[in-house]
Amino acid sequence: MIGRSRRITSLDTARGLFLIVSVLSASVIPPVPGWLQHPSWFGVNFYDLIFPLFVTLSGVGLAFAYRRGSDWPATIRRVVVLLVVGVLYTAVYGDHYELATLRITGVLQLYAVLVLLSAVLHTITRSARGWAIITGLTALIGTAAFVWFQSRCVGDVLTPTCNPSAVMDTRLFGGHMYAEGARGHDPEGLVAICGAFLTAAAGTTAGHLALDAREGARRMGLVRIAAWTIACAALGAVLAQVIEPFKRLWTPSFALLAGALGLAIFLVAYAIFDVYLQRTRGREAQDRIGWPLVALGRNSLLVYFGSHLSSALLLRYGDPSVAERIGGAMSWGGGDQVAFALISLTLWWGVAALLHRRRIYIRP
């Protein structure tokens, strides 16, 4: 971690809970149910919420990383590593290596930009109030921009061919973007980065609230995080009446509503581990009870992206695929889909537990 602020158990346990869902969903053998697929355009499915939950919790972590200032050499190194590894990751994941259309957008690249933005803005403010203002202004300005662009579309409706991403991202990235620009939008381009930043900013605000409460006022911190969660959900619901929440463009309403869900998970973990257990049973019991989830959460980047990549490769090769053969061999009559997903979770949880026991954490 770049900063020197002590971690709180709730952040890593919340990440651990998220990773259980993430690994299981990434390991489902086709046919994949509809709720584990992205909608073609409008609408929000369960699968749309997984990465935004990661972004929200990452935003909480960035508050800890930059609470005492920005370590620029470490930040620049981190950003560069994320960008380079991101390009390699998307190439292997998509099995596409043509330089003319090499995909330079991706989730790791998006995360790299979020880290850079967080470092820059933490030079301006390192308080919960300041980040709450940043979150609110980003939401309002983003919504106004979407309204303006929507008014230029036929019928005042955003479509795959009439939306800000189709204009900006396609011109900027061309064939180097998601689906080579053929869909007319890019959920990993500049427009999505703005939406993801809003989700991360909501998390960063909560992170600063948690940091403010560490010096003996944890229950008050719990109340403030709860109030902030409700505020994000309420503002997201209001903005949803103006611009529909959907993941394809990571609209401001979607960013806040998804962020509020991530904050709710963090809030529950904070209430259990950093308020109740800390007060009633002490730090030792808190660490012992949270250990399995903390082991996952401390290596969240490795488990999240490693599980997605390994599942994609095992599902790609063979006929039937390696994943199907593994699932079939281990299903014991329970179905290869469930078996392979559970095997994947068990293996990655084991890797995370071993690394955590040895205090090895994979970070850029």
Side-chain angles (χ1 to χ4, degrees):
M1 186 62 70
I2 293 172
R4 299 179 294 279
S5 296
R6 193 180 188 281
R7 300 175 73 94
I8 58 174
T9 304
S10 53
L11 174 58
D12 290 318
T13 54
R15 282 174 167 168
L17 289 170
F18 150 76
L19 286 167
I20 292 173
V21 176
S22 174
V23 174
L24 288 174
S25 63
S27 307
V28 174
I29 294 173
V32 179
W35 55 278
L36 282 178
Q37 301 180 44
H38 296 298
S40 58
W41 188 244
F42 288 122
V44 177
N45 285 346
F46 173 82
Y47 197 59
D48 292 323
L49 300 173
I50 294 178
F51 184 59
L53 293 181
F54 175 80
V55 171
T56 306
L57 296 175
S58 295
V60 177
L62 289 171
F64 284 74
Y66 293 115
R67 175 72 164 193
R68 297 182 182 179
S70 301
D71 182 347
W72 282 108
T75 295
I76 297 302
R77 183 187 69 249
R78 189 181 191 190
V79 169
V80 171
V81 170
L82 284 168
L83 290 173
V84 173
V85 174
V87 172
L88 295 174
Y89 176 89
T90 52
V92 175
Y93 188 90
D95 195 23
H96 186 90
Y97 306 96
E98 294 291 334
L99 292 179
T101 55
L102 186 66
R103 182 176 166 193
I104 61 175
T105 61
V107 286
L108 275 170
Q109 297 91 311
L110 182 150
Y111 182 59
V113 176
L114 295 184
V115 170
L116 183 59
L117 289 174
S118 181
V120 171
L121 289 172
H122 270 94
T123 63
I124 299 173
T125 179
R126 296 195 292 271
S127 70
R129 177 177 297 179
W131 275 91
I133 292 172
I134 289 173
T135 303
L137 288 176
T138 301
L140 295 176
I141 294 172
T143 300
F146 268 100
V147 169
W148 176 83
F149 198 98
Q150 182 176 261
S151 68
R152 301 166 67 87
C153 298
V154 176
D156 287 344
V157 176
L158 296 170
T159 66
T161 56
C162 185
N163 66 78
S165 183
V167 174
M168 291 188 293
D169 293 327
T170 303
R171 290 178 180 176
L172 181 61
F173 299 112
H176 295 285
M177 64 189 286
Y178 177 69
E180 299 183 9
R183 294 185 177 181
H185 59 88
D186 183 359
E188 298 162 353
L190 292 180
V191 174
I193 285 174
C194 293
F197 170 74
L198 176 54
T199 302
T204 301
T205 304
H208 283 293
L209 289 171
L211 284 166
D212 291 341
R214 291 197 314 174
E215 304 300 327
R218 291 176 183 262
R219 279 184 285 185
M220 179 57 67
L222 181 65
V223 171
R224 289 173 177 169
I225 295 170
W228 175 243
T229 302
I230 294 171
C232 288
L235 181 57
V238 171
L239 297 182
Q241 307 306 309
V242 182
I243 295 293
E244 184 170 347
F246 65 111
K247 171 71 181 302
R248 285 299 185 186
L249 294 179
W250 211 315
T251 56
S253 55
F254 173 82
L256 285 174
L257 291 172
L261 177 60
L263 291 178
I265 296 172
F266 173 65
L267 177 68
V268 171
Y270 185 83
I272 294 172
F273 288 94
D274 289 295
V275 177
Y276 175 74
L277 287 177
Q278 176 79 2
R279 180 171 58 87
T280 61
R281 302 183 65 175
R283 183 75 194 187
E284 183 178 346
Q286 179 190 31
D287 290 341
R288 184 177 65 253
I289 294 171
W291 197 94
L293 291 174
V294 169
L296 270 177
R298 289 296 296 272
N299 267 304
S300 57
L301 272 176
L302 172 67
V303 175
Y304 180 82
F305 292 101
S307 63
H308 279 67
L309 183 59
S310 62
S311 293
L313 293 176
L314 291 174
L315 287 165
R316 178 185 304 163
Y317 295 111
D319 187 16
S321 69
V322 177
E324 290 173 305
R325 281 180 279 173
I326 293 173
M330 304 296 291
S331 65
W332 300 295
D336 57 356
Q337 278 191 321
V338 174
F340 179 69
L342 291 177
I343 290 169
S344 181
L345 176 62
T346 300
L347 290 175
W348 280 103
W349 207 332
V351 169
L354 178 62
L355 293 175
H356 182 51
R357 184 173 294 277
R358 297 185 177 183
R359 299 186 181 276
I360 298 173
Y361 306 110
I362 309 301
R363 304 187 184 97

